[in-house]
Amino acid sequence: SYGAREYGPAIRWLTDAGFCIRCDVTDDTSTYGSGDLFKLYIADSGVMNSMYPRSAMRDILDPSSPVSETPGAENMLACMVARFGDGMLRYRRRSTEVDFLTYRGNDLVGIDIRSGNNPKSKALETLLSAGKIDRAVRFWDGNLSIGSNGVERYPLFTAGLLDTVLGPVPVADSR
């Protein structure tokens, strides 16, 4: 089995050179991941899209196609979280998974992106109701709304406006 010894230097080079963004996976919202599990995102979404075969690019633009735009949108969102968030993790515990955890000021924000129009977001709802995160944001194929459970839902296209969606970073009162 291959692991960190074989791939570690190459992965480190890709992230240090700015080609990839590393997102560690954690199963505890109060600690950073161990570094053993992670997901890599391509730091330039244009480069990532150019890697798709032409047929896949056509399928992504065709609303009747079963091909989802979520991987590209998730990659773009990873770039935005890396740029505007304070740290970036992926949460996974048993069947609960949240694409990104990041801080905005002192608030831990859970962020999910889904291509469907189902308003349910069980993972975000679970973490929010348990007090594990302070805010839950979901990008989806629906309209802007806030669910009765407190999950903020934004149209998929607004993922590129993450800094605006998250709002200003709170500044501590110096008085």
Side-chain angles (χ1 to χ4, degrees):
S1 97
Y2 295 99
R5 191 174 320 133
E6 291 82 6
Y7 295 114
I11 291 169
R12 194 169 17 272
W13 184 88
L14 287 168
T15 57
D16 289 349
F19 290 114
C20 289
I21 299 165
R22 181 181 167 140
C23 182
D24 287 331
V25 177
T26 185
D27 63 356
D28 184 355
T29 58
S30 64
T31 63
Y32 272 84
S34 66
D36 294 339
L37 282 174
F38 58 89
K39 188 168 184 177
L40 288 179
Y41 294 95
I42 297 175
D44 184 332
S45 294
V47 170
M48 188 197 82
N49 287 335
S50 71
M51 292 177 182
Y52 285 132
R54 288 194 189 276
S55 60
M57 287 190 267
R58 277 191 305 270
D59 288 342
I60 288 170
L61 296 174
D62 179 2
S64 65
S65 169
V67 174
S68 169
E69 69 270 7
T70 303
E74 182 182 334
N75 192 84
M76 186 263 305
L77 185 58
C79 294
M80 300 301 288
V81 172
R83 170 80 170 89
F84 295 114
D86 183 8
M88 179 169 72
L89 289 172
R90 183 177 194 85
Y91 178 84
R92 186 177 1 181
R93 183 178 218 161
R94 295 185 202 100
S95 63
T96 302
E97 187 168 351
V98 174
D99 292 329
F100 303 106
L101 296 176
T102 191
Y103 279 94
R104 190 63 164 194
N106 291 326
D107 291 343
L108 182 59
V109 183
I111 304 171
D112 245 350
I113 189 160
R114 298 289 179 262
S115 62
N117 59 4
N118 180 352
K120 298 249 184 237
S121 184
K122 188 175 180 184
L124 286 173
E125 293 168 16
T126 300
L127 292 176
L128 191 61
S129 66
K132 300 279 187 181
I133 57 176
D134 301 299
R135 193 168 163 203
V137 173
R138 182 175 194 212
F139 294 97
W140 69 315
D141 278 344
N143 293 323
L144 175 66
S145 63
I146 297 178
S148 60
N149 53 19
V151 176
E152 303 167 32
R153 296 185 292 256
Y154 295 88
L156 200 53
F157 71 87
T158 63
L161 304 169
L162 182 67
D163 195 35
T164 303
V165 167
L166 293 179
V169 177
V171 178
D173 190 0
S174 60
R175 291 185 264 171

